[in-house]
Amino acid sequence: MSIPPSNLPHSCSQPSSTRIEGQQPALLQGGCSSCASSLSTCQQCHYRQIFAQSLDGILVMQLDRPMAWDVEQTCDRTLDEIYHHLKVVEVNDAVLRQYGATTSQMLGMAQSDFFAHDPEQGKTLLRHSLNQRQLCQETEERRFDTGAPIFFEVNCTGLYNTDDHFTGCVLIQRDITTRKHMEQQLQASEERYRQLISSLEQQVNQRTRELTEALAFEALLKRITDRVRDSLDEQHILQVVVESMTAGLGLISCNTGRYDSEQQISTVVHDCTHDRSHSVLGTIWKMDEFPHIYHQLLAHQYVQFCDCHTLLGWATILVAPIYDDQGTIGDIWLIREPGLPFSPSEIRLVQQVTNQCAIAIRQARLYQAAQQQVKELERLSSLKDDFLNTVSHELRTPIASIKMASEMLELSLSPMDLGHHSPRIHRYISILQSESDREIGLINDLLDLSRLEAESMMIIKTVVHLQHWLPHLIEPLQPQIQRQQIRFSLDVDANLPSLITDLSGLERIIMELLRNACKYTRAHEQIRLSAQRQGTGVCIIVSNSGSMILPHERDRVFEKFYRIPNADHWNHGGTGLGLSLVQRLTAYLGGKVCLECREPWVRFIVSLPLELPDHGHSASSCSGEN
């Protein structure tokens, strides 16, 4: 907005404007002589009213004399002179409100007075105005009453005389302080927003790095755990740990030490380093020489420090103990460049690795101890078997001689008339013979078990028809069954295929099971012998009723020398070798035997293949049938 000089109001117009008395500014030259006319017919009076009532501040500034201004040649001296002599000659009320000033304060003020706080800004604005003759720009000035900054949007129009010399200017300025404050607040908000975004980005990047590191550490821990979890070799476990940690954490070196709590020493048992000349493998550290380290390690605490390594020079060192609830097993030393301390996440990883390592080492040591115990038990079992085998062989001959001598004694005494001593003598001889038979049976069982365990028993393959063979097999037991008042039944599938197996072994299995059933079956109870097809083999079942086996005893019935307490109703006695011999014989014939207890039946189930598989100690097949 600019006011044309030819149309400006004269001095008799509206009193709302203020000017310097005795001066006739260029703004008022060429006044109208018809002021008494109505306002609408006087154009200058109309502009004067606009000047007075404008919401924008309007200042008229004038030089005391016109000055020439050449854009290319005028020097700074001329600019400085204009700057100090260009003064306010007229203002409207809006300017007074904007500056918080009075008319007397404003009139006569020079350009330099408005920019006392920043002279360079004032001169710059003046230069631009003179060069362009019209300027629209934002400025920052100060209120008179408070000194607070005011921001203006200024339109400046230069005033020139007929010689084109600069005489003054008209400034129309709009107060944009509120807008400027809002812009500043917006800029501050934007800056805070940018800072917040930057902070969030840094947090996201940091969190991303932490998650990436955590995932990498988790993968490293899983690789180590997978490799050591199933290992039972302590040396392999420690080697995996030092190699994996060296590669996973980018270490210069990593080694592990094994503790000897009695001698208070630590021996380096595994070492991984890029330069083998720096290896400390086999080095022995005395704990009392480094109490500040080993005191914490023995208390299950890690140690991190920077020290001059004997071979590597200055380095950052982290030492973590390998321990469990039974004590400290050893430690692991991690070495990297100086100035790179181990982070909390790396320390947690090392602690997790040492925990897994301790578990694996303890497991390996338990396994080794168990293996030693197994070897010792096998040795003792072998010694026992050798002893029984030797004793059995040594006893067999004298027992056989005792039996033969008792028979000869009986024959020798038969023709003699011993009177009333004869029944007692024959009873003694009968006891001697029965006990000899019992001892011979025990010796034979022990010898058979020894042969089965040594897999040296001879097998003769024979074709067996169970339908015809089983009825004859049970005939020797019929007197005992009748004497004990036991009900016996035989059930054999008529279509049962023939078996090719060792006949003597099969007979021994069935007779031992039947004798065992007779031993534990009360009077008027039942014994069943059945044979049926089962898949690709044959199933032979010996069952008896009225005598259950307790659950905790079922897993022990096949142990050697084990007898169920207080279950022998007929006081037959025994050695406890019968069922163990059945189990070994069944396995030797390629089958298996199991026990089932379903009230009121106890069932021993023998499963055999239709044809005995080839055996290392088998004799040639026999063509005979039974």
Side-chain angles (χ1 to χ4, degrees):
M1 175 180 176
S2 62
I3 303 175
S6 61
N7 296 324
L8 288 178
H10 49 71
S11 59
C12 65
S13 298
Q14 301 295 325
S16 298
S17 62
T18 307
R19 63 184 178 86
I20 299 176
E21 295 295 335
Q23 290 190 359
Q24 184 66 26
L27 193 66
L28 302 178
Q29 294 176 2
C32 178
S33 60
S34 58
C35 292
S37 303
S38 64
L39 182 62
S40 60
T41 59
C42 181
Q43 189 177 14
Q44 288 194 8
C45 289
H46 178 66
Y47 280 118
R48 173 60 63 181
Q49 185 181 30
I50 294 175
F51 175 80
Q53 297 179 353
S54 174
L55 296 178
D56 293 333
I58 303 176
L59 296 92
V60 180
M61 301 186 72
Q62 193 172 31
L63 287 173
D64 52 2
R65 62 182 178 84
M67 296 187 70
W69 177 264
D70 189 334
V71 175
E72 297 181 355
Q73 297 180 0
T74 302
C75 63
D76 290 342
R77 182 177 179 181
T78 304
L79 177 67
D80 191 63
E81 188 174 353
I82 295 174
Y83 182 67
H84 289 287
H85 290 84
L86 184 64
K87 297 182 179 179
V88 177
V89 296
E90 191 167 3
V91 296
N92 66 353
D93 292 342
V95 170
L96 299 179
R97 290 192 300 270
Q98 290 172 348
Y99 282 100
T102 62
T103 303
S104 60
Q105 288 177 309
M106 294 292 297
L107 295 179
M109 287 185 62
Q111 174 80 1
S112 58
D113 296 329
F114 287 96
F115 294 97
H117 64 285
D118 191 355
E120 291 300 322
Q121 180 191 11
K123 290 183 180 181
T124 301
L125 290 173
L126 180 59
R127 182 186 296 275
H128 289 172
S129 176
L130 292 171
N131 289 340
Q132 301 174 13
R133 296 203 172 193
Q134 187 168 353
L135 179 67
C136 179
Q137 192 165 339
E138 293 182 1
T139 66
E140 179 184 352
E141 300 180 33
R142 293 291 184 273
R143 285 181 63 90
F144 290 2
D145 53 355
T146 62
I150 321 169
F151 296 94
F152 292 122
E153 186 178 75
V154 178
N155 284 280
C156 179
T157 301
L159 300 177
Y160 297 85
N161 60 14
T162 55
D163 295 331
D164 202 26
H165 289 178
F166 179 75
T167 62
C169 63
V170 177
L171 295 95
I172 303 175
Q173 53 190 35
R174 178 172 297 167
D175 188 346
I176 60 171
T177 303
T178 302
R179 189 186 77 185
K180 204 68 177 177
H181 287 168
M182 293 181 66
E183 289 177 353
Q184 291 175 349
Q185 292 176 1
L186 180 60
Q187 291 175 355
S189 298
E190 290 177 348
E191 180 62 25
R192 288 194 299 271
Y193 176 73
R194 284 193 295 269
Q195 292 177 356
L196 178 60
I197 293 298
S198 176
S199 176
L200 289 175
E201 288 178 348
Q202 293 177 359
Q203 293 179 18
V204 169
N205 293 335
Q206 177 66 21
R207 185 58 178 164
T208 300
R209 288 192 296 270
E210 291 176 355
L211 289 175
T212 302
E213 183 182 70
L215 290 174
F217 287 171
E218 183 179 352
L220 176 60
L221 178 62
K222 186 177 185 303
R223 288 196 301 271
I224 294 176
T225 303
D226 290 343
R227 294 182 63 184
V228 305
R229 179 178 54 199
D230 299 328
S231 177
L232 297 173
D233 184 354
E234 183 175 342
Q235 300 300 322
H236 175 261
I237 293 169
L238 295 174
Q239 181 179 357
V240 166
V241 169
V242 297
E243 291 178 353
S244 300
M245 294 300 287
T246 301
L249 297 181
L251 304 176
I252 298 176
S253 177
C254 182
N255 62 75
T256 59
R258 182 185 292 122
Y259 286 4
D260 187 333
S261 57
E262 294 183 357
Q263 300 184 15
Q264 289 291 293
I265 60 173
S266 174
T267 305
V268 179
V269 294
H270 278 283
D271 183 281
C272 182
T273 182
H274 299 296
D275 188 350
R276 297 311 301 173
S277 63
H278 296 160
S279 175
V280 293
L281 187 64
T283 304
I284 299 176
W285 304 101
K286 294 182 178 180
M287 296 182 183
D288 56 1
E289 294 180 358
F290 306 95
H292 59 289
I293 296 177
Y294 287 102
H295 176 74
Q296 289 185 250
L297 295 177
L298 291 173
H300 302 163
Q301 299 175 356
Y302 71 88
V303 184
Q304 181 174 200
F305 58 94
C306 186
D307 198 2
C308 185
H309 193 273
T310 306
L311 301 175
L312 302 175
W314 284 99
T316 300
I317 302 174
L318 174 66
V319 192
I322 302 174
Y323 67 93
D324 58 13
D325 55 352
Q326 299 183 23
T328 306
I329 300 173
D331 57 33
I332 178 170
W333 291 62
L334 300 94
I335 305 170
R336 64 167 37 156
E337 293 84 357
L340 293 176
F342 291 87
S343 66
S345 57
E346 289 176 321
I347 294 175
R348 285 194 298 271
L349 170 67
V350 173
Q351 291 174 328
Q352 291 173 329
V353 169
T354 56
N355 290 339
Q356 294 296 324
C357 185
I359 294 172
I361 290 175
R362 188 63 67 186
Q363 178 178 286
R365 290 184 178 182
L366 289 174
Y367 173 77
Q368 294 299 328
Q371 288 297 102
Q372 292 296 329
Q373 292 179 353
V374 169
K375 290 180 180 179
E376 181 64 18
L377 290 174
E378 289 177 347
R379 186 183 70 84
L380 293 175
S381 179
S382 178
L383 289 175
K384 179 196 67 177
D385 293 340
D386 290 342
F387 172 75
L388 291 176
N389 192 26
T390 301
V391 170
S392 299
H393 278 286
E394 293 299 326
L395 290 177
R396 190 170 189 178
T397 299
I399 291 297
S401 299
I402 292 173
K403 179 175 174 57
M404 183 178 295
S406 64
E407 292 176 350
M408 295 300 296
L409 180 61
E410 184 179 17
L411 291 174
S412 300
L413 294 176
S414 294
M416 297 181 183
D417 184 9
L418 300 176
H420 63 278
H421 296 290
S422 180
R424 187 170 54 184
I425 292 174
H426 284 291
R427 184 165 60 85
Y428 293 156
I429 293 175
S430 176
I431 293 172
L432 183 63
Q433 290 177 347
S434 64
E435 291 300 318
S436 298
D437 290 337
R438 181 180 175 185
E439 292 300 319
I440 291 173
L442 172 61
I443 292 170
N444 288 336
D445 288 345
L446 289 172
L447 290 175
D448 288 342
L449 280 173
S450 298
R451 294 190 189 100
L452 288 170
E453 291 174 351
E455 297 186 354
S456 60
M457 179 173 284
M458 296 299 296
I459 291 179
I460 301 175
K461 291 184 179 181
T462 305
V463 179
V464 180
H465 297 282
L466 295 177
Q467 303 93 323
H468 308 300
W469 179 66
L470 285 177
H472 297 288
L473 177 66
I474 63 175
E475 289 179 358
L477 289 175
Q478 288 294 344
Q480 180 180 352
I481 292 173
Q482 293 174 1
R483 184 171 59 254
Q484 296 180 192
Q485 300 179 8
I486 297 173
R487 292 178 294 166
F488 183 84
S489 62
L490 176 64
D491 181 16
V492 183
D493 188 354
N495 299 320
L496 200 64
S498 58
L499 284 177
I500 300 178
T501 187
D502 181 74
L503 183 61
S504 61
L506 180 60
E507 179 180 356
R508 188 77 176 274
I509 291 171
I510 297 175
M511 291 303 292
E512 286 292 346
L513 291 176
L514 288 173
R515 291 193 186 98
N516 185 75
C518 290
K519 184 186 301 184
Y520 297 109
T521 303
R522 294 186 177 92
H524 310 297
E525 295 290 344
Q526 299 183 59
I527 295 178
R528 293 178 181 174
L529 174 60
S530 61
Q532 58 193 31
R533 183 70 179 266
Q534 185 185 53
T536 59
V538 170
C539 178
I540 301 173
I541 305 173
V542 176
S543 309
N544 67 290
S545 66
S547 179
M548 295 301 294
I549 300 177
L550 298 177
H552 66 276
E553 295 177 334
R554 294 171 190 173
D555 294 333
R556 302 193 61 189
V557 294
F558 294 107
E559 293 180 7
K560 287 190 290 186
F561 303 106
Y562 181 77
R563 298 179 62 209
I564 299 175
N566 304 320
D568 186 356
H569 306 291
W570 303 99
N571 297 320
H572 290 296
T575 61
L577 292 174
L579 292 179
S580 179
L581 188 61
V582 166
Q583 187 183 50
R584 297 296 180 91
L585 273 173
T586 304
Y588 207 67
L589 296 183
K592 62 181 180 179
V593 59
C594 63
L595 168 65
E596 284 187 1
C597 293
R598 296 180 182 177
E599 187 73 30
W601 295 97
V602 175
R603 306 172 69 204
F604 285 90
I605 304 171
V606 179
S607 301
L608 295 171
L610 291 178
E611 182 175 358
L612 179 65
D614 292 334
H615 202 281
H617 300 281
S618 298
S620 301
S621 298
C622 179
S623 59
E625 296 185 0
N626 289 280

